[in-house]
Amino acid sequence: MTDKGIPADFETRVRDDFAKQPMMATMGARLGAVRKGEVEVELPFHAGFTQQHGFMHAAAVTAIADNACGYAALTLMPKDAEVLSVEFKMNFLKPAVGEKFVAVGKVLRAGKTLSVANAEVYALKGPDRALIGAMQATIISAKAA
Amino acid sequence: MTDKGIPADFETRVRDDFAKQPMMATMGARLGAVRKGEVEVELPFHAGFTQQHGFMHAAAVTAIADNACGYAALTLMPKDAEVLSVEFKMNFLKPAVGEKFVAVGKVLRAGKTLSVANAEVYALKGPDRALIGAMQATIISAKAA
Amino acid sequence: MTDKGIPADFETRVRDDFAKQPMMATMGARLGAVRKGEVEVELPFHAGFTQQHGFMHAAAVTAIADNACGYAALTLMPKDAEVLSVEFKMNFLKPAVGEKFVAVGKVLRAGKTLSVANAEVYALKGPDRALIGAMQATIISAKAA
Amino acid sequence: MTDKGIPADFETRVRDDFAKQPMMATMGARLGAVRKGEVEVELPFHAGFTQQHGFMHAAAVTAIADNACGYAALTLMPKDAEVLSVEFKMNFLKPAVGEKFVAVGKVLRAGKTLSVANAEVYALKGPDRALIGAMQATIISAKAA
């Protein structure tokens, strides 16, 4: 056990759970860094998930932000917990143009039943990094649902 | 021209635009009814877009709700308009379990620059229909952006 | 007891709880109709709650929408329940100009722990009624928090 | 003029505009620090704006978060701009218990028409400071509306 009673295997639990999500595999999304209270999800550009202007679809950007928030919350939960999205709100700040997209989720409130997290989504193109989206989300511990 | 200056070809414009979205094709989503101020988007169950419990992924449900809201707004816009999502908020009311999912988007405010719409998402299983999600969204007319 | 196990005194409970909220009294807000799953909150125009253009402040409009959602949820809860706002999202559709404002909250999901409701806010001026705001909210049963 | 074409008088413009809002005076709210892209709004505890448990009402907390976001956006706008809230989403992380509440708004996107900001709201009690709320908001430049 680590401080605060969070099991030391939080990263393993996040990676195992992520691997069970078919949609992440279908999109080609993968986990980046997994820290206590902060998780990154990456999405390389994928033409199959674009919208009518050739940008990544709002829902594809949302998918990685949602997962970044949910797994950030999971890192601070006990061993047998699972996470479900109660709700989220997403702002689209710029068109999702880039070679790769990275959602960085951070926990604002770690609760027994409800957690709150936010995520920033960046588009990477060569040396440039632009903030293209922002999410604020409520997550429930599935055992408590 | 119809009443209120909305071009009579609103349905054609919606269907043409929808057909240009690779993500909708990848998911197997299709347009249902297209009325002035109200649009339906359908998504048959697709195992490739599920999450860790085998339910449709929150982001897949969000994708059809987002499109239902955006195209509902487009039906009330002038001929050369395009729609982009400014932001949306989505609540998940029940697990997305079913054979087919239908998002019904309706316009609350049709503005020159900004429109506001909401969507309800239903899961269909045999004769049963359950409300599983609700979105409230802000859409911008792309020409005005 | 009524059907579904909802205590018949739901209106009394809502009115008693509303009466305990100093902010509602300070603003001059009052309850309108209280039905199972649907509650109205009214706010006569009050110059002390306006913003820089003389319209009712966004937060004043939000206050009655929040209460309409919360009390709509409370009508479907057991006797000893109390409601707290987990989160809400509010769109402002038109400037809040009028003699009176009415928020109509309706339950979308009545859960043991979490409920979801939405509210529409109308501005009344003489014979005219305009939709000026829309909220989508998540409410928690306080005993379960 | 400062760098990026933002008029040097941004603080004066924010303070003048804030002073014109009756609701802020009624609540006893006041501006704290005003920096480019970041504004603080403070609210001393006020029994007239509490809810049924004696905590500050969700809408009172929302009021200062809304103003912190809007004025943060205004600091990055040209001289003749005014701000209106398009929409916001607010999460309540803890009961609003304290002697003073401070909302810190920061701009995520400064656009010609639309800006996006978020705000964190803290409760202060003696030496303690607790994060009690988080907002994500969309603001429109009134001249462009």
Side-chain angles (χ1 to χ4, degrees), chain A residues 24-60:
Chain A
M24 292 299 105
T26 303
M27 294 175 66
R30 54 200 182 217
L31 275 169
V34 175
R35 303 182 194 94
K36 276 187 215 172
E38 184 176 330
V39 165
E40 293 178 11
V41 182
E42 302 177 351
L43 177 67
F45 176 83
H46 188 317
F49 291 87
T50 52
Q51 38 82 288
Q52 69 273 24
H53 304 103
F55 311 147
M56 288 302 283
H57 198 284

Side-chain angles (χ1 to χ4, degrees), chain B residues 121-140:
Chain B
V121 185
Y122 298 91
L124 281 66
K125 193 173 179 182
D128 298 324
R129 194 179 90 136
L131 180 64
I132 61 158
M135 174 179 278
Q136 191 168 304
T138 309
I139 299 108
I140 194 163

Side-chain angles (χ1 to χ4, degrees), chain A residues 87-91 93-94 108-109 116 120 131 134-138, chain D residues 87-91 93-94 108-109 116 120 131 134-138:
Chain A
E87 61 81 36
F88 51 61
K89 182 259 205 288
M90 181 87 195
N91 273 83
L93 310 178
K94 289 188 181 181
L108 295 176
R109 175 190 195 268
V116 178
E120 298 195 332
L131 180 65
M135 175 179 278
Q136 191 167 305
T138 309
Chain D
E87 61 83 36
F88 51 62
K89 182 257 204 289
M90 182 88 196
N91 273 83
L93 311 178
K94 290 189 181 179
L108 294 175
R109 175 191 195 269
V116 178
E120 298 194 332
L131 180 64
M135 174 179 279
Q136 192 169 305
T138 309

